[in-house]
Amino acid sequence: MRSHFKFSLSDMLRQHRRWEKTIAKAVKVTRKALVSTVSTKPSASKPAAKPRSVAKPAAGLQEVKAFGSNPGRLRMFRYVPAGLPKKSPLVVVLHGCHQTAEAYDRGSGWSTLARERGFAVVYAEQKRSNNGNLCFNWFRPSNVTRDRGEVMSIRQMVAKMVSAHGIDRKRVFVTGLSAGGAMAAAMLATYPDVFRGGGVIAGLPYGAARDVHRALAAMKSSPERAGQEWGDLVRAASPVTRDFPTVSIWHGTKDHTVSLSNADALLQQWLDVHGLETAAYTQSDVDGHIRRVWKDASGKVAVELYLIDGMGHGTPLKPRPASRVKADTPGPYMLDAGISSSMHLATAWGLKKPQLLSALKQAAE
């Protein structure tokens, strides 16, 4: 019988292989489009004529000029991923001395994590008119007393984010480096009703100093106090009497700017606040560094300590491969230690990449 086909069998096989490649490419493009639609498409049940500011994309940190009375005269910067839904978490980040919000974000990668995992970020930035070295004034009572000074300004930034972006009040966290770490400790002490958890990196305990002279002395060696004395300083800082935030303490073992003794003082302070015994911890190795964990009666982590072996003064980073979106970028006081404090803090706080979105993205790659 004579064949009615115009092409030979080999021609048909070649054409079939070309179609397979075309279909595979189309599937990849469709998956990427689906990911984009899931993250940016507004709800069909609501009118799209007047989108909320929460839906606006953010190319980088954006300054917010008006956020309250701002008694501490700080600057506010925010990063809100495009299409961030209501009831999303918030992380407040406080830079160290000689740093800016942008520089700390570039090094720590918090905005990158926010975009990947679906939360908002606020940076408080110090002004040189307040402190010549751009340090937060963690040692001045006027700036670390509840509803006064710099702590009040940072509290107002949180309130602004809650009202403007529908942030989940029960999932607000704070972290900082050095002077920013000491200020993070002050925020946890003065507003334990606002923050669910905090990360203090190369910082000092709340109440370690009350003026510049004693601040410099405390940086060299933390004041000697019993755990209860340290705990009393936190308990006296706010009207809250229970449900204190979780605390994660990070410190380099070779830090010659802020003595390692401050990590121990911070530990004693928050163990006393949570009513935990110093010796009641479990220890593990994380990326080559020591992690000690203290759990509460329910079995949840209340306090943890990371001792970064051989690291000096700075935020510990673990830079990503060049093929991936940049985060954890080394720089001044941003140190490649083979461990990412930002990543571990985000994970500990439950700020994880949505499983469906992650699966779709991986399938599209």
Side-chain angles (χ1 to χ4, degrees), residues 175-208:
T175 183
L177 164 68
S178 193
M183 187 57 79
M187 296 306 299
L188 295 172
T190 54
Y191 294 104
D193 50 333
V194 172
F195 297 98
R196 184 177 175 182
V200 181
I201 305 171
L204 299 93
Y206 179 69

PDB file of all heavy atoms in Angstrom, residues 175-208:
ATOM      1  N   THR A 175      15.951  42.709  66.006  1.00  0.00           N
ATOM      2  CA  THR A 175      17.343  42.264  66.085  1.00  0.00           C
ATOM      3  C   THR A 175      18.257  43.438  65.817  1.00  0.00           C
ATOM      4  O   THR A 175      17.852  44.445  65.215  1.00  0.00           O
ATOM      5  CB  THR A 175      17.632  41.134  65.073  1.00  0.00           C
ATOM      6  OG1 THR A 175      18.988  40.693  65.244  1.00  0.00           O
ATOM      7  CG2 THR A 175      17.451  41.606  63.637  1.00  0.00           C
ATOM      8  N   GLY A 176      19.497  43.345  66.278  1.00  0.00           N
ATOM      9  CA  GLY A 176      20.446  44.426  66.050  1.00  0.00           C
ATOM     10  C   GLY A 176      21.859  44.006  66.373  1.00  0.00           C
ATOM     11  O   GLY A 176      22.097  42.990  67.049  1.00  0.00           O
ATOM     12  N   LEU A 177      22.812  44.789  65.881  1.00  0.00           N
ATOM     13  CA  LEU A 177      24.236  44.545  66.086  1.00  0.00           C
ATOM     14  C   LEU A 177      24.851  45.600  66.983  1.00  0.00           C
ATOM     15  O   LEU A 177      24.594  46.797  66.804  1.00  0.00           O
ATOM     16  CB  LEU A 177      24.965  44.548  64.738  1.00  0.00           C
ATOM     17  CG  LEU A 177      26.492  44.688  64.778  1.00  0.00           C
ATOM     18  CD1 LEU A 177      27.132  43.437  65.389  1.00  0.00           C
ATOM     19  CD2 LEU A 177      27.055  44.957  63.381  1.00  0.00           C
ATOM     20  N   SER A 178      25.686  45.177  67.925  1.00  0.00           N
ATOM     21  CA  SER A 178      26.482  46.089  68.746  1.00  0.00           C
ATOM     22  C   SER A 178      25.594  47.087  69.485  1.00  0.00           C
ATOM     23  O   SER A 178      24.770  46.686  70.302  1.00  0.00           O
ATOM     24  CB  SER A 178      27.534  46.784  67.868  1.00  0.00           C
ATOM     25  OG  SER A 178      28.496  47.440  68.648  1.00  0.00           O
ATOM     26  N   ALA A 179      25.734  48.395  69.190  1.00  0.00           N
ATOM     27  CA  ALA A 179      24.841  49.373  69.814  1.00  0.00           C
ATOM     28  C   ALA A 179      23.400  49.069  69.429  1.00  0.00           C
ATOM     29  O   ALA A 179      22.471  49.264  70.228  1.00  0.00           O
ATOM     30  CB  ALA A 179      25.220  50.790  69.382  1.00  0.00           C
ATOM     31  N   GLY A 180      23.207  48.592  68.191  1.00  0.00           N
ATOM     32  CA  GLY A 180      21.881  48.163  67.766  1.00  0.00           C
ATOM     33  C   GLY A 180      21.427  46.922  68.515  1.00  0.00           C
ATOM     34  O   GLY A 180      20.236  46.736  68.770  1.00  0.00           O
ATOM     35  N   GLY A 181      22.376  46.062  68.870  1.00  0.00           N
ATOM     36  CA  GLY A 181      22.055  44.885  69.671  1.00  0.00           C
ATOM     37  C   GLY A 181      21.652  45.275  71.082  1.00  0.00           C
ATOM     38  O   GLY A 181      20.695  44.725  71.641  1.00  0.00           O
ATOM     39  N   ALA A 182      22.372  46.227  71.656  1.00  0.00           N
ATOM     40  CA  ALA A 182      22.017  46.730  72.984  1.00  0.00           C
ATOM     41  C   ALA A 182      20.651  47.401  72.949  1.00  0.00           C
ATOM     42  O   ALA A 182      19.855  47.277  73.892  1.00  0.00           O
ATOM     43  CB  ALA A 182      23.084  47.706  73.468  1.00  0.00           C
ATOM     44  N   MET A 183      20.358  48.114  71.847  1.00  0.00           N
ATOM     45  CA  MET A 183      19.046  48.744  71.717  1.00  0.00           C
ATOM     46  C   MET A 183      17.956  47.701  71.497  1.00  0.00           C
ATOM     47  O   MET A 183      16.826  47.864  71.959  1.00  0.00           O
ATOM     48  CB  MET A 183      19.060  49.763  70.574  1.00  0.00           C
ATOM     49  CG  MET A 183      17.782  50.587  70.471  1.00  0.00           C
ATOM     50  SD  MET A 183      17.366  51.510  71.986  1.00  0.00           S
ATOM     51  CE  MET A 183      18.491  52.901  71.850  1.00  0.00           C
ATOM     52  N   ALA A 184      18.283  46.612  70.793  1.00  0.00           N
ATOM     53  CA  ALA A 184      17.320  45.517  70.638  1.00  0.00           C
ATOM     54  C   ALA A 184      16.978  44.925  72.003  1.00  0.00           C
ATOM     55  O   ALA A 184      15.813  44.621  72.290  1.00  0.00           O
ATOM     56  CB  ALA A 184      17.888  44.438  69.712  1.00  0.00           C
ATOM     57  N   ALA A 185      17.992  44.770  72.850  1.00  0.00           N
ATOM     58  CA  ALA A 185      17.756  44.276  74.210  1.00  0.00           C
ATOM     59  C   ALA A 185      16.871  45.253  74.979  1.00  0.00           C
ATOM     60  O   ALA A 185      15.997  44.842  75.752  1.00  0.00           O
ATOM     61  CB  ALA A 185      19.089  44.079  74.937  1.00  0.00           C
ATOM     62  N   ALA A 186      17.084  46.550  74.749  1.00  0.00           N
ATOM     63  CA  ALA A 186      16.258  47.570  75.402  1.00  0.00           C
ATOM     64  C   ALA A 186      14.808  47.498  74.925  1.00  0.00           C
ATOM     65  O   ALA A 186      13.874  47.671  75.713  1.00  0.00           O
ATOM     66  CB  ALA A 186      16.829  48.958  75.137  1.00  0.00           C
ATOM     67  N   MET A 187      14.606  47.229  73.632  1.00  0.00           N
ATOM     68  CA  MET A 187      13.250  47.101  73.097  1.00  0.00           C
ATOM     69  C   MET A 187      12.541  45.894  73.705  1.00  0.00           C
ATOM     70  O   MET A 187      11.348  45.949  74.043  1.00  0.00           O
ATOM     71  CB  MET A 187      13.284  46.971  71.577  1.00  0.00           C
ATOM     72  CG  MET A 187      13.825  48.183  70.828  1.00  0.00           C
ATOM     73  SD  MET A 187      13.008  49.752  71.239  1.00  0.00           S
ATOM     74  CE  MET A 187      11.316  49.428  70.739  1.00  0.00           C
ATOM     75  N   LEU A 188      13.247  44.786  73.864  1.00  0.00           N
ATOM     76  CA  LEU A 188      12.664  43.592  74.466  1.00  0.00           C
ATOM     77  C   LEU A 188      12.303  43.836  75.931  1.00  0.00           C
ATOM     78  O   LEU A 188      11.293  43.309  76.421  1.00  0.00           O
ATOM     79  CB  LEU A 188      13.645  42.423  74.362  1.00  0.00           C
ATOM     80  CG  LEU A 188      13.968  41.932  72.942  1.00  0.00           C
ATOM     81  CD1 LEU A 188      15.092  40.905  72.992  1.00  0.00           C
ATOM     82  CD2 LEU A 188      12.734  41.339  72.275  1.00  0.00           C
ATOM     83  N   ALA A 189      13.124  44.620  76.619  1.00  0.00           N
ATOM     84  CA  ALA A 189      12.872  44.902  78.031  1.00  0.00           C
ATOM     85  C   ALA A 189      11.730  45.900  78.220  1.00  0.00           C
ATOM     86  O   ALA A 189      10.866  45.716  79.083  1.00  0.00           O
ATOM     87  CB  ALA A 189      14.146  45.437  78.690  1.00  0.00           C
ATOM     88  N   THR A 190      11.717  46.964  77.414  1.00  0.00           N
ATOM     89  CA  THR A 190      10.724  48.031  77.593  1.00  0.00           C
ATOM     90  C   THR A 190       9.387  47.728  76.932  1.00  0.00           C
ATOM     91  O   THR A 190       8.347  48.229  77.366  1.00  0.00           O
ATOM     92  CB  THR A 190      11.262  49.368  77.063  1.00  0.00           C
ATOM     93  OG1 THR A 190      11.685  49.203  75.700  1.00  0.00           O
ATOM     94  CG2 THR A 190      12.450  49.834  77.897  1.00  0.00           C
ATOM     95  N   TYR A 191       9.400  46.897  75.889  1.00  0.00           N
ATOM     96  CA  TYR A 191       8.154  46.557  75.189  1.00  0.00           C
ATOM     97  C   TYR A 191       8.020  45.047  74.978  1.00  0.00           C
ATOM     98  O   TYR A 191       7.853  44.579  73.853  1.00  0.00           O
ATOM     99  CB  TYR A 191       8.094  47.279  73.845  1.00  0.00           C
ATOM    100  CG  TYR A 191       7.988  48.778  73.962  1.00  0.00           C
ATOM    101  CD1 TYR A 191       9.094  49.589  73.712  1.00  0.00           C
ATOM    102  CD2 TYR A 191       6.783  49.389  74.338  1.00  0.00           C
ATOM    103  CE1 TYR A 191       9.004  50.972  73.829  1.00  0.00           C
ATOM    104  CE2 TYR A 191       6.690  50.771  74.455  1.00  0.00           C
ATOM    105  CZ  TYR A 191       7.802  51.558  74.206  1.00  0.00           C
ATOM    106  OH  TYR A 191       7.705  52.919  74.330  1.00  0.00           O
ATOM    107  N   PRO A 192       8.030  44.275  76.051  1.00  0.00           N
ATOM    108  CA  PRO A 192       7.860  42.821  75.900  1.00  0.00           C
ATOM    109  C   PRO A 192       6.457  42.455  75.420  1.00  0.00           C
ATOM    110  O   PRO A 192       6.236  41.330  74.964  1.00  0.00           O
ATOM    111  CB  PRO A 192       8.130  42.287  77.312  1.00  0.00           C
ATOM    112  CG  PRO A 192       7.797  43.434  78.206  1.00  0.00           C
ATOM    113  CD  PRO A 192       8.216  44.663  77.460  1.00  0.00           C
ATOM    114  N   ASP A 193       5.531  43.397  75.518  1.00  0.00           N
ATOM    115  CA  ASP A 193       4.169  43.184  75.027  1.00  0.00           C
ATOM    116  C   ASP A 193       4.062  43.431  73.525  1.00  0.00           C
ATOM    117  O   ASP A 193       3.033  43.124  72.914  1.00  0.00           O
ATOM    118  CB  ASP A 193       3.188  44.095  75.765  1.00  0.00           C
ATOM    119  CG  ASP A 193       3.648  45.546  75.796  1.00  0.00           C
ATOM    120  OD1 ASP A 193       4.867  45.802  75.728  1.00  0.00           O
ATOM    121  OD2 ASP A 193       2.787  46.439  75.900  1.00  0.00           O
ATOM    122  N   VAL A 194       5.107  43.968  72.908  1.00  0.00           N
ATOM    123  CA  VAL A 194       5.110  44.262  71.470  1.00  0.00           C
ATOM    124  C   VAL A 194       5.875  43.200  70.689  1.00  0.00           C
ATOM    125  O   VAL A 194       5.463  42.791  69.602  1.00  0.00           O
ATOM    126  CB  VAL A 194       5.723  45.659  71.197  1.00  0.00           C
ATOM    127  CG1 VAL A 194       5.903  45.902  69.698  1.00  0.00           C
ATOM    128  CG2 VAL A 194       4.850  46.742  71.819  1.00  0.00           C
ATOM    129  N   PHE A 195       7.002  42.746  71.254  1.00  0.00           N
ATOM    130  CA  PHE A 195       7.887  41.831  70.537  1.00  0.00           C
ATOM    131  C   PHE A 195       7.732  40.398  71.025  1.00  0.00           C
ATOM    132  O   PHE A 195       7.754  40.130  72.225  1.00  0.00           O
ATOM    133  CB  PHE A 195       9.336  42.282  70.683  1.00  0.00           C
ATOM    134  CG  PHE A 195       9.592  43.629  70.077  1.00  0.00           C
ATOM    135  CD1 PHE A 195       9.614  44.766  70.872  1.00  0.00           C
ATOM    136  CD2 PHE A 195       9.771  43.779  68.713  1.00  0.00           C
ATOM    137  CE1 PHE A 195       9.823  46.026  70.322  1.00  0.00           C
ATOM    138  CE2 PHE A 195       9.977  45.022  68.145  1.00  0.00           C
ATOM    139  CZ  PHE A 195      10.005  46.150  68.951  1.00  0.00           C
ATOM    140  N   ARG A 196       7.635  39.489  70.046  1.00  0.00           N
ATOM    141  CA  ARG A 196       7.529  38.072  70.382  1.00  0.00           C
ATOM    142  C   ARG A 196       8.905  37.452  70.590  1.00  0.00           C
ATOM    143  O   ARG A 196       9.056  36.471  71.323  1.00  0.00           O
ATOM    144  CB  ARG A 196       6.790  37.335  69.263  1.00  0.00           C
ATOM    145  CG  ARG A 196       6.536  35.870  69.561  1.00  0.00           C
ATOM    146  CD  ARG A 196       5.746  35.225  68.449  1.00  0.00           C
ATOM    147  NE  ARG A 196       5.589  33.799  68.661  1.00  0.00           N
ATOM    148  CZ  ARG A 196       4.971  32.979  67.825  1.00  0.00           C
ATOM    149  NH1 ARG A 196       4.457  33.458  66.707  1.00  0.00           N
ATOM    150  NH2 ARG A 196       4.881  31.691  68.083  1.00  0.00           N
ATOM    151  N   GLY A 197       9.909  38.013  69.936  1.00  0.00           N
ATOM    152  CA  GLY A 197      11.259  37.480  70.077  1.00  0.00           C
ATOM    153  C   GLY A 197      12.292  38.471  69.594  1.00  0.00           C
ATOM    154  O   GLY A 197      11.962  39.441  68.895  1.00  0.00           O
ATOM    155  N   GLY A 198      13.539  38.243  69.975  1.00  0.00           N
ATOM    156  CA  GLY A 198      14.599  39.154  69.570  1.00  0.00           C
ATOM    157  C   GLY A 198      15.930  38.456  69.418  1.00  0.00           C
ATOM    158  O   GLY A 198      16.160  37.383  70.006  1.00  0.00           O
ATOM    159  N   GLY A 199      16.801  39.068  68.611  1.00  0.00           N
ATOM    160  CA  GLY A 199      18.149  38.558  68.417  1.00  0.00           C
ATOM    161  C   GLY A 199      19.157  39.647  68.728  1.00  0.00           C
ATOM    162  O   GLY A 199      19.135  40.705  68.097  1.00  0.00           O
ATOM    163  N   VAL A 200      20.004  39.416  69.710  1.00  0.00           N
ATOM    164  CA  VAL A 200      20.992  40.403  70.144  1.00  0.00           C
ATOM    165  C   VAL A 200      22.365  39.922  69.686  1.00  0.00           C
ATOM    166  O   VAL A 200      22.866  38.901  70.158  1.00  0.00           O
ATOM    167  CB  VAL A 200      20.968  40.585  71.675  1.00  0.00           C
ATOM    168  CG1 VAL A 200      21.992  41.645  72.090  1.00  0.00           C
ATOM    169  CG2 VAL A 200      19.568  40.974  72.145  1.00  0.00           C
ATOM    170  N   ILE A 201      22.967  40.670  68.771  1.00  0.00           N
ATOM    171  CA  ILE A 201      24.247  40.281  68.187  1.00  0.00           C
ATOM    172  C   ILE A 201      25.353  41.213  68.687  1.00  0.00           C
ATOM    173  O   ILE A 201      25.298  42.426  68.458  1.00  0.00           O
ATOM    174  CB  ILE A 201      24.182  40.330  66.645  1.00  0.00           C
ATOM    175  CG1 ILE A 201      23.025  39.462  66.129  1.00  0.00           C
ATOM    176  CG2 ILE A 201      25.509  39.890  66.035  1.00  0.00           C
ATOM    177  CD1 ILE A 201      22.751  39.618  64.649  1.00  0.00           C
ATOM    178  N   ALA A 202      26.344  40.657  69.369  1.00  0.00           N
ATOM    179  CA  ALA A 202      27.472  41.442  69.907  1.00  0.00           C
ATOM    180  C   ALA A 202      26.974  42.648  70.681  1.00  0.00           C
ATOM    181  O   ALA A 202      27.523  43.741  70.578  1.00  0.00           O
ATOM    182  CB  ALA A 202      28.402  41.882  68.772  1.00  0.00           C
ATOM    183  N   GLY A 203      25.908  42.446  71.458  1.00  0.00           N
ATOM    184  CA  GLY A 203      25.293  43.543  72.206  1.00  0.00           C
ATOM    185  C   GLY A 203      25.577  43.475  73.694  1.00  0.00           C
ATOM    186  O   GLY A 203      26.448  42.720  74.150  1.00  0.00           O
ATOM    187  N   LEU A 204      24.825  44.253  74.440  1.00  0.00           N
ATOM    188  CA  LEU A 204      24.992  44.331  75.896  1.00  0.00           C
ATOM    189  C   LEU A 204      23.630  44.183  76.567  1.00  0.00           C
ATOM    190  O   LEU A 204      22.590  44.463  75.957  1.00  0.00           O
ATOM    191  CB  LEU A 204      25.626  45.660  76.316  1.00  0.00           C
ATOM    192  CG  LEU A 204      27.024  45.958  75.764  1.00  0.00           C
ATOM    193  CD1 LEU A 204      26.939  46.773  74.482  1.00  0.00           C
ATOM    194  CD2 LEU A 204      27.868  46.714  76.802  1.00  0.00           C
ATOM    195  N   PRO A 205      23.620  43.776  77.841  1.00  0.00           N
ATOM    196  CA  PRO A 205      22.345  43.596  78.547  1.00  0.00           C
ATOM    197  C   PRO A 205      21.669  44.932  78.840  1.00  0.00           C
ATOM    198  O   PRO A 205      22.325  45.978  78.881  1.00  0.00           O
ATOM    199  CB  PRO A 205      22.759  42.881  79.837  1.00  0.00           C
ATOM    200  CG  PRO A 205      24.186  43.286  80.045  1.00  0.00           C
ATOM    201  CD  PRO A 205      24.776  43.390  78.679  1.00  0.00           C
ATOM    202  N   TYR A 206      20.373  44.874  79.032  1.00  0.00           N
ATOM    203  CA  TYR A 206      19.621  46.075  79.371  1.00  0.00           C
ATOM    204  C   TYR A 206      20.047  46.569  80.754  1.00  0.00           C
ATOM    205  O   TYR A 206      20.127  45.809  81.709  1.00  0.00           O
ATOM    206  CB  TYR A 206      18.123  45.772  79.387  1.00  0.00           C
ATOM    207  CG  TYR A 206      17.279  46.971  79.747  1.00  0.00           C
ATOM    208  CD1 TYR A 206      17.170  48.050  78.884  1.00  0.00           C
ATOM    209  CD2 TYR A 206      16.608  47.040  80.969  1.00  0.00           C
ATOM    210  CE1 TYR A 206      16.402  49.164  79.204  1.00  0.00           C
ATOM    211  CE2 TYR A 206      15.835  48.141  81.306  1.00  0.00           C
ATOM    212  CZ  TYR A 206      15.745  49.200  80.419  1.00  0.00           C
ATOM    213  OH  TYR A 206      14.990  50.306  80.747  1.00  0.00           O
ATOM    214  N   GLY A 207      20.355  47.853  80.840  1.00  0.00           N
ATOM    215  CA  GLY A 207      20.760  48.443  82.114  1.00  0.00           C
ATOM    216  C   GLY A 207      22.241  48.338  82.404  1.00  0.00           C
ATOM    217  O   GLY A 207      22.677  48.584  83.534  1.00  0.00           O
ATOM    218  N   ALA A 208      23.048  47.989  81.398  1.00  0.00           N
ATOM    219  CA  ALA A 208      24.494  47.829  81.621  1.00  0.00           C
ATOM    220  C   ALA A 208      25.194  49.147  81.893  1.00  0.00           C
ATOM    221  O   ALA A 208      26.268  49.175  82.500  1.00  0.00           O
ATOM    222  CB  ALA A 208      25.127  47.146  80.415  1.00  0.00           C
TER     223      ALA A 208
END
